[in-house]
Amino acid sequence: MAKVSEHELREKHHVRSIPIREDDEVLITRGSYKGREGKIASVYRLKYFVHAESVSREKSNGQSVPIGIAPPKLVITKLRLDKDRERILETKGKGLDAARKRLGRA
């Protein structure tokens, strides 16, 4: 489930989208929870949605339950970087730079 990143991240890492992972920070851009920010608590690939820490509702017995959010409604604001993810960003960035040179937009 890849997601578009914020403009600053695009400029910094030279990528348009990257797969969502736990502990990424996101901004909800559509729906009734628009404007809320939070960390990704879990990624549910089977149902194609994610749970953010800041979005939950209470059940009738008082228990808090996370609400699923579709990835197209999110924008990544901060990435959790590890060595595997840095390698992905580096590889995708090289491809973008090569394409820009080929098209003369460097």
Side-chain angles (χ1 to χ4, degrees):
M1 286 188 277
K3 187 60 210 140
V4 175
S5 58
E6 210 169 52
H7 187 69
E8 294 90 33
L9 290 175
R10 286 185 195 184
E11 294 297 318
K12 182 177 179 183
H13 298 293
H14 304 290
V15 293
R16 178 174 170 81
S17 64
I18 188 162
I20 295 177
R21 287 191 184 172
E22 288 183 19
D23 295 330
D24 285 346
E25 292 184 20
V26 295
L27 172 68
I28 301 172
T29 56
R30 296 172 191 238
S32 57
Y33 299 103
K34 181 178 180 176
R36 289 199 189 180
E37 293 186 41
K39 279 190 173 184
I40 298 295
S42 65
V43 178
Y44 200 146
R45 294 181 65 144
L46 181 66
K47 292 189 176 181
Y48 200 70
F49 63 69
V50 299
H51 294 120
E53 290 177 356
S54 64
V55 181
S56 62
R57 71 175 193 83
E58 286 197 11
K59 291 171 54 171
S60 60
N61 64 2
Q63 185 179 2
S64 182
V65 179
I67 294 179
I69 305 165
K73 297 180 180 182
L74 303 174
V75 173
I76 298 174
T77 56
K78 187 176 178 185
L79 295 172
R80 185 195 79 187
L81 293 175
D82 56 4
K83 65 179 184 177
D84 295 329
R85 207 158 199 202
E86 286 175 356
R87 192 171 343 118
I88 290 169
L89 288 170
E90 182 180 325
T91 304
K92 287 183 83 172
K94 283 182 184 177
L96 182 64
D97 290 340
R100 284 184 177 168
K101 279 185 181 179
R102 193 172 53 242
L103 294 174
R105 296 181 190 165

